[in-house]
Every structure is written in structure tokens, then in C-alpha cells.
Amino acid sequence: MVATRRAFVAMAVAVAMAVTVRAQMPTPVPATTETTNTSVADYLPDLSQGQSEAFYNGIKLAFMFSVLVGMLWQSRQQFRNLKRLQKHSEDLKFDAEKHQKEFSRKQHIHFENTPLVVVEFDARRQFKEWTGRAEAVFGWRAMEVLGRSYEELPWIEPDGVASLREAFSAATGAEKSGHIVTMRHLTQNKESRLVEWHVSELPNDGEAVGSILALGLDVTEREATATTLREQHDRYNMTARACGSGIWSLDPQQGDLIWEEELAATLGYGGADFPTRQSQWLELFHPEDRLRFVQVLQARAQQPDTREIIEVRLHHREGAYRWFRLDFAYEPNATKAGGRIVGTATDIMRLKLAEDKFRGLVEQSLAGIFILQENRVVYANPKFWAIVRSGGARPPLRPEFLELMHPEDRAMTAERMRPLYAGSSQEAALLFRLYGPQGAGVVVQGHGIASEHEGEPAILGLVMDVSHRFAQEQTSRRLSQVVEQSPVAILITNPDGVIEYVNRKFCEVSAYPQEELLGQLPQILQSSQTPERFYTDLWGRLQIGKKWEGEYVNRAKDGRQFTVRAVLFPIFDEGGTVTHCVEIMEDITSQRTLEERLARAQRLESIGNLAGGIAHDLNNILAPVRLGAEFLKTLPFKGQEREIIEVMDISIHRATELVQQVLAFSRGRRSQREPLWLNQIISELERLVRESFPRDVRLDIRLTNDLAPVKADATQILQVLMNLCVNSRDAMPAGGIISLVADNVTLGAAQTASFPGAQPGKHVRIRVSDSGTGIPAEVREKIFEPFFTTKDVGKGTGLGLSTALGIVQEHNGIIELESTGPQGTVFVLYLPVTSDVPTAPVSTAATKKPTANPADSKPGRGHTVLVVDDESPLRQAVAFILGQSGYSVLEAGDGIQAIEMVRSRGPEIEVVLLDVMMPRLDGVATLKALRELRPDLRVIATSGVNHDSRVEALRRLGVQHFLLKPYRNQELLDAMGSCISNGK
């Protein structure tokens, strides 16, 4: 141990000497932080040669001294450890060899299983590695290849040896960069393979030239596929040139056109000269074909993946027109909106010339003429196609003749034509229905004879269209179905207004069966809101051939009145005489109801915003009056003076409650919502009604057993229910029954759409009804407006229902009037169900706030308060009340004055009574500035409303005391005392 300690002491002395020398030299700063290979020299200061030698000699002497001492005193210990170290070294060597073998094994497995051909060449360019993939591609086994030169093995085609040698040179050159080369190889079976190689150098320790690693990918199949595609493209081009066909495409949105060069050549254009824009291309179309082609393009864009064939004439550069057959379809874009028209174009000019010669013989025929070969139509005149097209679009070339017929007629027609094909008969009578692509049958009559066409047996046929009257009947039947199944109500009358037809929807809307409407006048639906003169003027207008459209109110058979939007117009015959009148109408009652609800909600919101602003100003006015009145109550007035002061206090209290109701209507009162059971609220309501209502007014309560909980403010919900019950009581001066029923319901999106804030889902429904006088229809739209009342002067404020509406909307609920009759009123209240479970019974009783200790008559003595408010009367009243309690009061008329006062008076100010809404600088900005000057400053916030966002911002800034104007003297003193005593 002594020897070891002496060795460490010597080493410490040496290090201390070196540090002392180093500390006297300037610290070097490396030139860059990006260099990864650094040495001790990089951290030495810039010294002269003599200083550097002295520094290094000192370090060497110190180090040799420490090493010598350590060796002398530790040689014995080292000798003992020598054998242990030797044993440990052998163990490490064994583990290293084991890990090296495992790594080599995994590397070999990786090379054997990779899809790449892995070949390694040593420095003499002899095969050093030949994987299983190489054996699979080239056929030679590893034992046949390893040790042989790459030039000795016959695996490269003669012209590829130089390419591989060049790749070796590039990989081992000065830049040591990999090289990619594609070469033709020969397998052991003399098959040709195309391989893409990546050649790079693998350095070997101690050798000037490293190994070469070649990674190859067999691309023979890929090259063969590419060659096949090129050959197919060449064959396509040859075929297209021979047939005069080619591919074209058009982007309808951008107007870009792609037209193959071979097609352009048929029109006398070079590839670069042909138009590339849709507008220029359409100028090449014959005027008779241009509009037809554009219409077909637009139709195809509406029916993607439906092919269209059309024959058009395009203008040749030399002046003539050439016929082309365009076969195309609209292909939508899979990744974005829009798509392209893609198709083929075929030059059919020669075919057209031949057809013109033959067509000239038969095109004037009144009968349809056709030629069949192998039951296919190889030729037909225009009349035949006119007959076929009456059932739909023209079929493609050489259609199957029987496929043109109605399926029920094919077997019979085939049986009649069989003797013509067999040669046993020369003529056959035909009668069948053609069946076009649109599914309409065309009845034709004719005959066929055995003949020849272009040297082959054929059938020459002639047909006549005899289906005119059948087509008319079918059209009438289709129109009848359209009218009958229309989603709008349709009525048809004669010129005198007698109803001749009503569709199914009209019966549904009017609740009349069809048999009760036919033969009647439209006045059968006349409502009390539609005068008789309306119908007289309406039918007089129709009889002179004019149209009418508008809205009016009808009456259904069940007495229900409904609003309709209608269009009425006359029907004329060939001579211009009115033969019928048609009315198309749509029931818009629900739409009008929704619009009225939304308009009422917007009107109430505007009134609420105005009422909230007025209430805020009234609170500022009432605040100093209330403080002064409460102070007067503390003075020793007696007799009439005391009575006047009490009347003042009561009046101020009533005014305060009125303002609070206005704020509640405009969502100005902050609710304390928590999960609760409504049956507890209803039980307390029952107690209040029993104690305060007359004995002849009875409350009948029916609650479901599993009434769900809601998240609400208990006091506010009790206020809503109490307001509804008070209204019911006032509507029953002679007594009666107030019924309250509560149950669980689920509202859909359609039921909540017209109520702001309401959401679909589970709700608790409360129905409050009475047997009173009811609400007249003319005032039902105004009952939720503030200050609207039907009660006598002095018996109502007109804020009961408006307050209830504000509270319910704040709870995301619904309140609506259901009754429409003259007797009784039903209000329905919906409150959303909560998943939270109430923890304890709720109480709506007001919590009594703590009051100051009466024994201390001057609790504010020694404390300084800064009152910040833009209302001078309120500042003076607050300063007076606080001064009576011993506080030293400073005043500031706005936030800027408050900041200057805190800056100048320093720590003297303990509490700031801060108004939230002030001009120039509001309460939030003022508080932030004050906290920068005095982070420990205590603040009490005041405001006429507590729903403002600035109030919430002050709460987030840590203000825990908030007074709602107009506050009482004791509330002010309690908040001040709590703020000072708690230090917040």
C-alpha cells in the first residue's frame, strides 16, 4: 500500500508540473468543429520553437519520473498479475474467434439468400467468392470457379471482357468510385443472360490493391419485356398507317389535344403543325358535324366509361373534307377531379365513297333494306337504321340481326328464316319487334329473300315500321308514370278549373284520396288565409294563356293548413287554345317554420346583446347608489327618514334583480354547472309552489323512475321551472292544475337543427302544462322577447320567459311552446343528459358569505388600496366606504393612471380594486403591466358582467377575487379583508 501511495504521489507531482506550465500559455481554439481526427498538437498554443521544446521536455521528465517510481514499486504486483492477464487474454481471444465465426456464418447466409449475384475477385482478379445466386444464374458451381481468372472462365461474351476490365479500372482508380456496367453473359448451358453489375473495391490490409466486389442483377426478362413492347409499338404504328387509324385524346377542362402524327399526315399536316388546342381542332370539323360532335362529347363526360362511335368530316389542309370514324370514351382521373376523352380515329374516306355509290340506289326507299350474312347485318339503308334508331342509338357495325329484336320474337323469326339459309325456300314473311339499346321495341313488318352478297350467300330483307301507334301509347304510359311518381304534387284541370288528374304526391300532401278530388274545383283546398278572389284572379290569368308562380296557404282534409310554393301554367293545342291547366306545387311548411325559428333566434340574439350592454351600464350606475344607500342604513336615522332609506334600499334591490334577469337573458350570468338529479330540483319546486301559490292551484308531478342526470346550474333550472309555473298560475285566476311530467327521450338531428347550441342525443324532457286561458296566436311569436308581457301594468316585467330562454340556451337545451289551441298552455323543456354521476344532493339555497368581525370597527387601518374605475361616481363611493373602514384609498380613472400611480407610490399600495372594462387600457392589459412592476400585487376584479372573455382572462392570470356590480358594502369589505389576510 505504501508503494502504491508513493507512485500516485509522484504521478500527481508530474501532472501538477505540467498543468502549471500549461496554465501560463494561451488556450488554443480549434479552427473548426467539423474535423473528426484531432491530436494533441491541435490543442497546443502557438509557441516558439524554444518554448515548445521546453514544454515537451518538462512533460517527458515528469512522465518518466512517475513511470520509473511506479515501475519500481509495482513490479512485484505486476508479476503476480501477469499470469492472470495471460489467462484472460486467451479467453478473450477464444471469444473473439467464436464471434468472428458466427459473423462469417451470418454473412455467408445473407450473401447466399440475397436476390443479387455476389461475386468477389482477389487482387489478381481471380474468383474469391461465388454465391449460390451466381450458381443459379450462370450454372457453374463454386468449386468450378473459385481460384480461376475472370478471363479464363467462358462466362462473358467476347465483346464484354473489355467492359468488365474497364469497370475494374474505374473501381480501383484514384477516386475509388463504384462503377455500373451492363453486360451479356453466357451460362454453362450457353444461354445468354443480361446482367447489370455494380463494381467496387474492397481494400485489404497490407496490400496495395484490394479485392473487387461485384453485385449483379439479372435483367434478362426485363430487357425482353422492353423489347417486346418496342416491337408491339412498331407493329401498331405499321398497322395504324396501313389502316389510316391512330389514337387521340382530349382534356375537356384544359382544352389540350393529343393527335398522333400518322393521323395528322392523313389530313396533310406534319406532327408539329397539327392543332393542339380543342378550339383549333374543332375548326377542322365540317359545320354540320361540329355541333353534333360537341354534344356527344358533353354527353360522354356525364357517362364515364361508356364508349361512343361517331363519323365526322375533317378538313384537309388542301381544302377537301375526309371522313373519320371516332371511337372514344370519357375516362375519369383517379387522383383528382376531371378526366380525359380517349379514343381512336380511323380514316374511312374510301369506305364512304363505296357506300355512297350503293346508297344512291336505295336511300330514297320508303322501306328499310338490309343484307344479312351469317345472321349479321352487313349493310342497311338509312330507312332501316331510322327504324332501328327509333328504339335507341345506332348499333355498331355488323350487328347480330336477332340481337336487334325483342327477346320474345327471336325464336320465331329464326324459325322463319331457317329455310332461307338452308336453300329450301326463296322467300319468308317477317313480323317482329326490333329491340334498340334503350330497350324500346319497334314493331316492323316485311319479308326476306335468299340472295348473294360479294359472292357469298346472303339474305336481302325489306321491313316497314308499323309501330307508330304503339310508340304513342308507350310514350303516354311513360309520361303517366313520371307524373304519377313525381316527388312534387301535380294537379291537372280542364280550362274551367275542374280537376281531371292528381298524382300520388298531391293526395299525400292534401290528405284527400284521388276519388274525392276528381271533378272538384281547386277551391276544395281553400284555407282561411286564401280569399276567394285569389282563385278567381288565378284562373282568369291561366285562361288567357299566362303563367303564375308564387306561394299561398292550403287546407288539408284533416284541417291542417300548409304553405305551398306553386307554378301554374296552361297547355295549348295546335291552334293555340288552352285545353288544360297544370299546377306543380311543393309543400314548404317545414321550411317556413325552420326559417321563422332561425329568424326569431337571430332577433332574440340581437335583443340579448343590446340588453346585455344596457344591463352593464345600469350596473355601473346602480353600484354607487347601492353603496350609498347601504351606508345611510348604518346612520342613526329614525322615523320617516328611516322609512325613506328602507324604500331606497328595496328599490335598488329590485332594480338589481331586474338587471340580473336581463343579464341572464343575454347569457351574462355565470352558471355553476354540475351533475345533478332533476327530481331533487322538482321536489324543491313542489315545496315552493305549495308554500307560495294559492290553495286552488294544484301541482301534479309525474316523474319516470329512471330519470337520467343532467349537468346544470340547480338555481337557474329552478328559476326556469318557477317562471313557467308562475305564468301558469297567472293564467288560472280561478285556480286549476299545473302538470309537470319528466321523462327520458332521444332527439335526432332534424329535431335539434333549428335550435342554436342543441345537439342530437339523449335528453331529459320536462313538460309544464296548465288548464288556463292559453296564449293567443298573434302573440306566440313574441313570448320569448324581453320586456314583452300580456299582464297588466305593474304585474309583470316581461323577462320571465326571455330569462328562461337564455338559461336553457346556455345549457345547450331547448325550450318551446307546443300548444296551439285557445285553452291551456304547454311548454316543453329539453336538457342534455350527462354521463357524470351526481355526487351529493344539490341545494339551491344561497350560501351566506362570511362577514367581517364587528369587534374591529376599522379593519383597514394601515392598509392602502388603489381603486381603478372609469366611473367617477363609483370610485368616489368605493373610496368613501373603504375610508370608513380605515383604508387609505388612492383613485385612478383608467389603466394608464393606475400604472403610473403604482410606479410612483411603490410598495405603499397593497391591494388594487380593478375594473375589467375600461377605455384606453382594459383590466387585462392593466393587470399584466402592474404585475411587471409588482409581481406580488394583490388584485380584486370588478365588472358589470361576468361572461366577458376578459373576466376569464383575469381568472387565468391568478385573480381569485371577483365582485359583480352592483355589490354590497359588506361584499366589498369581505373581499378586501380576505385578500389582505390570505395574501392573494
Side-chain angles (χ1 to χ4, degrees):
M1 294 295 295
V2 176
T4 304
R5 283 197 300 270
R6 289 177 179 176
F8 280 112
V9 168
M11 292 177 65
V13 171
V15 171
M17 292 172 59
V19 170
T20 301
V21 175
R22 178 66 181 85
Q24 296 175 359
M25 302 178 183
T27 303
V29 179
T32 177
T33 59
E34 298 180 357
T35 305
T36 56
N37 298 323
T38 59
S39 64
V40 176
D42 295 329
Y43 294 89
L44 291 178
D46 297 328
L47 304 175
S48 64
Q49 182 174 4
Q51 290 175 331
S52 298
E53 292 178 358
F55 176 78
Y56 278 114
N57 290 336
I59 293 295
K60 290 179 180 179
L61 290 175
F63 180 78
M64 292 176 62
F65 178 76
S66 63
V67 171
L68 180 60
V69 172
M71 291 177 62
L72 291 175
W73 295 102
Q74 294 183 8
S75 58
R76 184 178 181 181
Q77 183 67 24
Q78 291 178 351
F79 180 76
R80 291 178 178 178
N81 294 335
L82 180 61
K83 288 188 177 182
R84 288 198 300 269
L85 291 174
Q86 184 177 3
K87 180 65 170 61
H88 183 64
S89 176
E90 292 175 355
D91 293 340
L92 291 177
K93 181 178 179 182
F94 176 79
D95 291 340
E97 292 176 351
K98 180 179 178 181
H99 287 303
Q100 179 64 30
K101 291 179 180 179
E102 180 64 17
F103 174 78
S104 299
R105 185 183 67 83
K106 292 181 178 180
Q107 186 180 38
H108 179 73
I109 293 174
H110 174 73
F111 280 159
E112 290 297 324
N113 295 327
T114 182
L116 296 176
V117 176
V118 181
V119 179
E120 183 181 353
F121 303 88
D122 59 16
R124 294 177 296 175
R125 304 302 176 253
Q126 295 178 346
F127 290 98
K128 184 178 180 180
E129 179 72 28
W130 184 268
T131 63
R133 180 59 181 169
E135 292 182 0
V137 172
F138 299 107
W140 283 283
R141 293 180 297 174
M143 65 179 61
E144 299 174 327
V145 173
L146 297 180
R148 300 174 64 179
S149 170
Y150 74 92
E151 297 180 347
E152 177 183 355
L153 186 69
W155 69 310
I156 306 176
E157 292 188 356
D159 57 348
V161 176
S163 299
L164 185 58
R165 188 181 298 113
E166 180 181 352
F168 286 165
S169 300
T172 58
E175 295 181 358
K176 304 292 184 180
S177 61
H179 188 73
I180 299 177
V181 61
T182 302
M183 301 172 52
R184 281 284 177 186
H185 289 266
L186 294 175
T187 66
Q188 193 175 26
N189 296 329
K190 304 303 180 181
E191 295 178 356
S192 177
R193 309 295 296 180
L194 186 65
V195 180
E196 185 180 275
W197 294 98
H198 182 276
V199 183
S200 59
E201 183 181 24
L202 293 175
N204 292 333
D205 296 338
E207 296 183 14
V209 180
S211 299
I212 296 295
L213 178 65
L215 302 178
L217 178 64
D218 187 357
V219 295
T220 306
E221 286 75 16
R222 185 181 71 184
E223 180 65 19
T225 301
T227 301
T228 301
L229 289 175
R230 286 193 297 269
E231 292 174 353
Q232 291 177 350
H233 184 264
D234 293 339
R235 285 196 298 269
Y236 164 76
N237 289 336
M238 293 174 59
T239 304
R241 284 192 295 269
C243 299
S245 299
I247 297 176
W248 62 278
S249 67
L250 174 66
D251 185 341
Q253 287 75 27
Q254 302 298 327
D256 296 331
L257 172 70
I258 300 176
W259 188 267
E260 280 196 351
E261 185 175 352
E262 288 78 7
L263 290 175
T266 60
L267 293 173
Y269 290 89
D273 299 336
F274 197 79
T276 59
R277 300 293 299 170
Q278 179 180 358
S279 58
Q280 300 171 345
W281 181 48
L282 291 177
E283 291 297 325
L284 299 181
F285 282 69
H286 193 280
E288 297 177 0
D289 300 335
R290 186 179 303 133
L291 179 59
R292 178 168 56 93
F293 177 69
V294 171
Q295 292 174 345
V296 172
L297 276 183
Q298 294 172 349
R300 291 289 71 76
Q302 302 299 324
Q303 298 178 343
D305 299 328
T306 301
R307 302 204 65 80
E308 179 71 29
I309 298 177
I310 185 173
E311 295 180 356
V312 296
R313 288 162 288 181
L314 297 180
H315 190 270
H316 195 276
R317 199 167 192 177
E318 296 179 356
Y321 283 94
R322 295 190 68 84
W323 280 94
F324 280 83
R325 179 181 296 113
L326 304 181
D327 183 353
F328 58 90
Y330 181 82
E331 298 183 358
N333 196 310
T335 59
K336 60 181 181 180
R340 295 190 67 89
I341 300 289
V342 180
T344 61
T346 304
D347 184 359
I348 58 172
M349 191 63 188
R350 288 181 292 180
L351 178 61
K352 280 293 182 181
L353 293 176
E355 288 179 354
D356 289 342
K357 294 179 181 179
F358 182 77
R359 188 180 298 111
L361 301 175
V362 294
E363 64 181 4
Q364 300 299 325
S365 174
L366 298 178
I369 301 175
F370 61 92
I371 298 176
L372 300 182
Q373 284 185 329
E374 297 180 355
N375 205 35
R376 289 187 175 275
V377 179
V378 296
Y379 172 77
N381 71 342
K383 186 60 178 179
F384 178 86
W385 290 125
I387 296 173
V388 173
R389 282 200 299 271
S390 64
R394 178 171 176 171
L397 294 178
R398 299 177 62 88
E400 181 75 25
F401 182 64
L402 294 178
E403 293 295 327
L404 301 178
M405 302 178 191
H406 193 284
E408 296 177 359
D409 299 339
R410 293 172 186 171
M412 179 185 64
T413 304
E415 184 66 25
R416 291 186 177 184
M417 295 177 62
R418 184 174 293 110
L420 298 180
Y421 285 114
S424 58
S425 176
Q426 296 295 315
E427 186 175 352
L430 303 176
L431 180 63
F432 53 86
R433 290 168 292 173
L434 289 175
Y435 198 66
Q438 303 301 322
V442 180
V443 180
V444 298
Q445 184 177 13
H447 65 277
I449 60 174
S451 181
E452 289 187 359
H453 178 66
E454 296 181 353
E456 298 292 334
I459 294 178
L460 177 62
L462 181 145
V463 292
M464 297 288 292
D465 184 1
V466 294
S467 61
H468 181 66
R469 70 176 181 274
F470 298 103
Q472 288 181 336
E473 293 176 358
Q474 185 179 24
T475 301
S476 299
R477 188 164 49 253
R478 184 183 300 111
L479 290 176
S480 175
Q481 292 174 349
V482 170
V483 173
E484 182 66 21
Q485 300 174 19
S486 172
V488 296
I490 299 177
L491 174 145
I492 302 177
T493 72
N494 64 15
D496 298 326
V498 179
I499 300 175
E500 294 185 353
Y501 172 80
V502 291
N503 70 345
R504 188 184 310 161
K505 186 65 176 181
F506 193 96
C507 297
E508 176 186 333
V509 171
S510 65
Y512 280 96
Q514 188 180 49
E515 57 270 16
E516 294 185 18
L517 291 172
L518 298 180
Q520 300 291 331
L521 295 176
Q523 285 86 329
I524 191 175
L525 302 178
Q526 182 178 359
S527 70
S528 58
Q529 301 183 39
T530 306
E532 180 66 29
R533 184 173 180 80
F534 168 79
Y535 290 96
T536 303
D537 295 342
L538 174 62
W539 291 106
R541 183 181 180 87
L542 292 174
Q543 287 173 347
I544 62 175
K546 294 184 178 181
K547 183 180 73 170
W548 182 92
E549 57 181 317
E551 298 177 5
Y552 65 98
V553 180
N554 279 333
R555 182 182 180 276
K557 182 180 180 180
D558 55 10
R560 171 179 49 88
Q561 293 191 354
F562 58 97
T563 304
V564 297
R565 181 188 294 117
V567 177
L568 292 90
F569 55 92
I571 302 296
F572 304 94
D573 61 10
E574 294 80 357
T577 304
V578 176
T579 61
H580 292 83
C581 296
V582 179
E583 178 182 11
I584 301 176
M585 71 179 187
E586 180 184 6
D587 184 0
I588 59 172
T589 306
S590 300
Q591 178 181 342
R592 286 290 174 264
T593 303
L594 178 61
E595 291 174 354
E596 291 171 0
R597 286 182 177 177
L598 291 177
R600 183 170 67 248
Q602 292 172 354
R603 184 170 67 252
L604 292 177
E605 182 179 4
S606 300
I607 296 175
N609 292 333
L610 176 61
I614 296 174
H616 173 263
D617 293 339
L618 287 175
N619 276 334
N620 281 332
I621 296 173
L622 287 174
V625 179
R626 188 173 196 177
L627 293 174
E630 290 198 351
F631 173 73
L632 292 177
K633 291 173 62 177
T634 63
L635 300 180
F637 290 108
K638 296 181 180 179
Q640 188 176 5
E641 296 173 342
R642 169 62 63 181
E643 292 178 0
I644 293 174
I645 294 174
E646 291 294 338
V647 170
M648 290 173 56
D649 184 63
I650 293 173
S651 298
I652 294 171
H653 179 70
R654 290 182 61 189
T656 301
E657 289 184 343
L658 181 61
V659 172
Q660 293 304 317
Q661 289 185 359
V662 173
L663 285 175
F665 168 73
S666 64
R667 300 192 180 188
R669 184 163 61 191
R670 183 179 180 85
S671 61
Q672 301 294 331
R673 289 189 240 173
E674 59 184 359
L676 54 87
W677 303 106
L678 284 176
N679 51 4
Q680 299 173 5
I681 306 299
I682 296 173
S683 297
E684 188 164 353
L685 173 70
E686 183 180 17
R687 179 183 62 79
L688 293 174
V689 169
R690 186 172 60 251
E691 293 176 355
S692 59
F693 280 25
R695 298 295 181 183
D696 56 359
V697 176
R698 184 166 58 89
L699 180 62
D700 181 20
I701 298 178
R702 285 174 289 170
L703 307 179
T704 184
N705 294 330
D706 58 344
L707 200 63
V710 299
K711 192 170 186 178
D713 186 306
T715 302
Q716 291 186 345
I717 298 303
L718 179 61
Q719 180 183 359
V720 171
L721 296 177
M722 195 64 185
N723 286 349
L724 296 178
C725 290
V726 168
N727 287 343
S728 296
R729 178 202 64 187
D730 295 342
M732 300 184 298
I737 298 176
I738 301 175
S739 176
L740 190 151
V741 181
D743 56 0
N744 301 319
V745 296
T746 299
L747 299 183
Q751 297 169 282
T752 60
S754 58
F755 296 95
Q759 298 293 329
K762 296 182 179 179
H763 288 69
V764 173
R765 177 177 60 186
I766 305 175
R767 295 172 57 90
V768 181
S769 59
D770 61 59
S771 57
T773 56
I775 301 177
E778 60 270 15
V779 301
R780 287 172 188 161
E781 296 298 323
K782 302 179 181 180
I783 59 175
F784 289 109
E785 296 182 2
F787 308 112
F788 176 81
T789 179
T790 58
K791 301 177 182 178
D792 295 336
V793 177
K795 293 187 177 181
T797 63
L799 289 172
L801 288 178
S802 61
T803 301
L805 176 64
I807 292 174
V808 172
Q809 287 183 344
E810 188 177 357
H811 285 74
N812 297 325
I814 299 173
I815 182 172
E816 58 180 344
L817 174 65
E818 271 195 359
S819 59
T820 58
Q823 295 293 327
T825 302
V826 180
F827 282 95
V828 184
L829 174 67
Y830 297 92
L831 293 175
V833 170
T834 181
S835 58
D836 300 334
V837 179
T839 56
V842 297
S843 175
T844 59
T847 303
K848 186 176 180 180
K849 295 184 178 180
T851 60
N853 185 4
D856 188 2
S857 60
K858 300 289 184 180
R861 184 179 292 110
H863 301 288
T864 301
V865 178
L866 173 61
V867 179
V868 186
D869 202 302
D870 60 311
E871 294 287 340
S872 178
L874 179 58
R875 288 201 314 271
Q876 296 175 9
V878 171
F880 177 79
I881 297 300
L882 292 178
Q884 291 294 313
S885 296
Y887 291 94
S888 297
V889 182
L890 303 176
E891 297 182 34
D894 55 38
I896 296 177
Q897 293 181 11
I899 295 170
E900 293 299 328
M901 195 164 292
V902 171
R903 182 182 288 113
S904 61
R905 304 297 288 265
E908 177 185 351
I909 301 173
E910 298 182 51
V911 181
V912 175
L913 185 65
L914 179 64
D915 187 23
V916 174
M917 291 182 282
M918 297 183 296
R920 301 179 65 185
L921 204 65
D922 64 7
V924 177
T926 302
L927 178 59
K928 292 180 179 179
L930 294 179
R931 285 282 168 83
E932 292 182 0
L933 297 174
R934 288 276 308 281
D936 60 337
L937 192 62
R938 305 163 191 172
V939 177
I940 300 175
T942 67
S943 177
V945 294
N946 66 353
H947 72 285
D948 190 80
S949 59
R950 288 169 287 196
V951 175
E952 299 299 329
L954 289 174
R955 296 182 191 276
R956 291 193 295 270
L957 290 174
V959 177
Q960 298 184 3
H961 296 276
F962 178 80
L963 294 177
L964 181 64
K965 300 177 185 178
Y967 42 81
R968 294 182 177 274
N969 296 9
Q970 195 58 51
E971 293 175 344
L972 173 64
L973 296 177
D974 289 345
M976 195 64 65
S978 175
C979 187
I980 292 176
S981 61
N982 295 336
K984 296 183 179 179

